[in-house]
């Protein structure tokens, strides 16, 4: 894993609408536009630089042109919305190993077991488990671990996956048909394995494995995605181009 402290910065973002302000813009462009300080509580250029770098490394970085097209289409059409925040969660989790690790080891186990909350000390304990193998975390103090755990949970809250202040509870998002198909297109673009049932990204669908299989086999989705299923193997193949799929879904 490539561990860094970007989760701290992501959890400190005062307003996720900042994403729309920094897309494709340099610091010079931002200053020319009046700076993102004009509508947020960010006070200094130094903070702006830090947020911009973290957003570009984690949220606005794409594995391939297909993912970029998918996310750009969505942001251009609906800006920051509950649905686009979910898409950004998927992309940030792909780009940030620590975020993905904490999701898989803490958040998803709690969500899929039906729990209502995640405790901060669970996140801290999970990061401590990484100490023997991850030199970056070996250098983190107890204070840094506590701050990072808090910022992780706060970032999930900003993405509408948790709610509350001191004691945050888990929200259980349901992917409607639009988000379901977009997830399948995203999964197809990030996963190298032919059998997606072996994909670690399956849990990001917010469906348990059997529910995932039953849902993906529904006939109404076959005009968007080609399915090949043989009991323990599932292959998916997008039918539409990544440039057209978002608009096809919102018009259907």
């Amino acid at each position: 894993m490539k561990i860094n402290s970007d989760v701290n910065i992501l959890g400190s973002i005062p307003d996720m609408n900042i994403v729309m302000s920094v897309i494709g813009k340099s610091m010079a462009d931002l200053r020319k536009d009046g700076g993102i300080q004009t509508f947020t509580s960010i006070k200094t250029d130094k903070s702006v630089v830090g947020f911009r770098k973290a957003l570009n490394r984690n949220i606005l970085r794409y594995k391939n042109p297909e993912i970029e097209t998918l996310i750009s289409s969505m942001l251009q059409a609906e800006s920051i919305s509950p649905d686009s925040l979910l898409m950004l969660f998927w992309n940030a989790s792909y780009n940030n190993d620590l975020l993905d690790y904490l999701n898989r080891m803490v958040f998803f186990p709690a969500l899929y077991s039906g729990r209502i909350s995640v405790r901060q000390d669970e996140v801290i304990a999970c990061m401590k488990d990484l100490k023997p193998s991850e030199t970056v975390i070996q250098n983190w103090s107890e204070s840094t671990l506590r701050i990072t755990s808090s910022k992780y949970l706060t970032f999930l809250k900003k993405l509408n996956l948790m709610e509350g202040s001191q004691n945050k509870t888990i929200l259980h998002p349901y992917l409607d048909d639009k988000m379901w198909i977009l997830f399948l297109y995203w999964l197809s673009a990030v996963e190298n394995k032919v059998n997606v049932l072996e994909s670690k990204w399956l849990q990001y669908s917010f469906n348990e494995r059997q529910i995932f299989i039953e849902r993906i086999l529904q006939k109404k989705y076959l005009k968007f995605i080609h399915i090949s299923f043989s009991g323990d193997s599932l292959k998916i193949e997008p039918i539409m181009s990544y440039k057209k799929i978002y608009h096809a879904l919102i018009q259907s």
Side-chain angles (χ1 to χ4, degrees):
M1 285 195 289
K2 293 181 179 178
I3 302 292
N4 58 44
S5 59
D6 281 356
V7 169
N8 287 352
I9 303 174
L10 295 173
S12 300
I13 293 173
D15 186 341
M16 289 302 292
N17 286 292
I18 291 173
V19 171
M20 301 304 298
S21 299
V22 304
I23 293 178
K25 292 184 178 178
S26 65
M27 277 303 298
D29 294 331
L30 290 174
R31 293 190 184 97
K32 185 178 179 181
D33 293 343
I36 58 179
Q37 297 99 320
T38 55
F39 70 94
T40 74
S41 58
I42 302 174
K43 301 299 182 184
T44 66
D45 265 12
K46 183 179 178 180
S47 297
V48 173
V49 169
F51 284 128
R52 178 177 167 275
K53 286 183 177 178
L55 289 170
N56 285 333
R57 280 195 299 260
N58 298 282
I59 291 181
L60 300 174
R61 183 160 64 96
Y62 315 102
K63 178 186 179 185
N64 50 47
E66 287 78 16
I67 294 293
E68 181 173 9
T69 299
L70 199 63
I71 293 176
S72 296
S73 298
M74 194 169 197
L75 290 176
Q76 287 171 10
E78 54 189 87
S79 188
I80 296 299
S81 68
D83 284 349
S84 65
L85 285 174
L86 194 53
M87 178 68 78
L88 297 182
F89 167 65
W90 295 333
N91 201 46
S93 300
Y94 179 85
N95 288 324
N96 188 302
D97 286 350
L98 180 59
L99 177 62
D100 175 49
Y101 173 80
L102 294 175
N103 293 339
R104 288 187 289 107
M105 301 303 290
V106 181
F107 177 69
F108 284 127
L111 181 142
Y112 283 114
S113 66
R115 287 174 47 190
I116 61 171
S117 65
V118 173
R119 300 191 310 274
Q120 186 178 354
D121 60 357
E122 293 178 82
V123 183
I124 294 173
C126 189
M127 287 189 288
K128 285 183 176 179
D129 288 342
L130 285 175
K131 276 197 170 185
S133 59
E134 299 297 332
T135 55
V136 172
I137 292 187
Q138 287 171 12
N139 296 321
W140 286 4
S141 65
E142 284 291 325
S143 174
T144 301
L145 290 171
R146 183 159 294 281
I147 292 171
T148 303
S149 63
S150 175
K151 295 298 184 183
Y152 166 69
L153 296 175
T154 299
F155 185 53
L156 294 186
K157 179 182 176 182
K158 293 177 185 295
L159 297 172
N160 292 331
L161 296 170
M162 302 195 80
E163 65 180 359
S165 52
Q166 193 68 27
N167 297 313
K168 295 180 179 60
T169 57
I170 299 172
L171 297 174
H172 292 71
Y174 174 78
L175 304 188
D176 60 15
D177 287 346
K178 179 189 81 171
M179 290 306 296
W180 173 250
I181 293 297
L182 290 177
F183 172 75
L184 295 178
Y185 273 62
W186 177 83
L187 176 62
S188 180
V190 300
E191 183 53 76
N192 294 322
K193 294 179 179 177
V194 174
N195 182 7
V196 296
L197 295 181
E198 297 176 349
S199 173
K200 73 171 187 177
W201 302 109
L202 217 61
Q203 56 195 327
Y204 283 81
S205 71
F206 298 96
N207 284 272
E208 293 181 341
R209 178 187 170 99
Q210 188 57 38
I211 301 297
F212 179 92
I213 294 172
E214 292 172 2
R215 188 174 185 188
I216 202 172
L217 294 176
Q218 292 182 33
K219 291 182 179 178
K220 64 179 179 179
Y221 302 128
L222 296 181
K223 61 183 177 182
F224 299 113
I225 193 117
H226 177 71
I227 304 295
S228 178
F229 180 59
S230 62
D232 56 359
S233 178
L234 176 65
K235 179 182 178 181
I236 62 175
E237 184 178 352
I239 291 176
M240 294 188 180
S241 72
Y242 280 76
K243 188 174 182 179
K244 293 181 178 178
I245 184 59
Y246 175 81
H247 297 288
L249 287 168
I250 61 175
Q251 292 168 4
S252 64

